[in-house]
Amino acid sequence: MWGRKRDREQHRYYLLPGMGRSNRQFHRRVLHWALLTGILVSLLIGLALYYLNQLHH
């Protein structure tokens, strides 16, 4: 009352959709699975190409 007024708008913030902890954990889990899937698929394609190349020799 006697002091200066606090500017409440200055200290207010909003979390947009996707900024919560659970959403970050979900995206991290999806990223790990995507990387693992990409590595496995590229390994399978590489082995298939290697096997097909060995058949022609």
Side-chain angles (χ1 to χ4, degrees), residues 5-56:
K5 290 184 177 180
R6 292 191 322 180
D7 185 14
R8 291 185 179 182
E9 294 294 323
Q10 182 181 3
H11 298 288
R12 182 181 296 180
Y13 67 95
Y14 297 97
L15 286 179
L16 297 173
M19 292 176 64
R21 182 187 309 162
S22 62
N23 203 319
R24 285 193 305 267
Q25 290 173 349
F26 172 75
H27 283 289
R28 190 178 314 128
R29 190 178 321 129
V30 169
L31 176 65
H32 288 157
W33 279 109
L35 290 174
L36 182 64
T37 304
I39 290 170
L40 290 176
V41 168
S42 64
L43 180 65
L44 288 174
I45 291 173
L47 286 173
L49 289 174
Y50 176 76
Y51 178 71
L52 290 173
N53 192 27
Q54 293 301 317
L55 288 177
H56 290 285

Side-chain angles (χ1 to χ4, degrees), residues 1-6:
M1 185 170 184
W2 295 100
R4 63 176 195 217
K5 290 184 177 180
R6 292 191 322 180

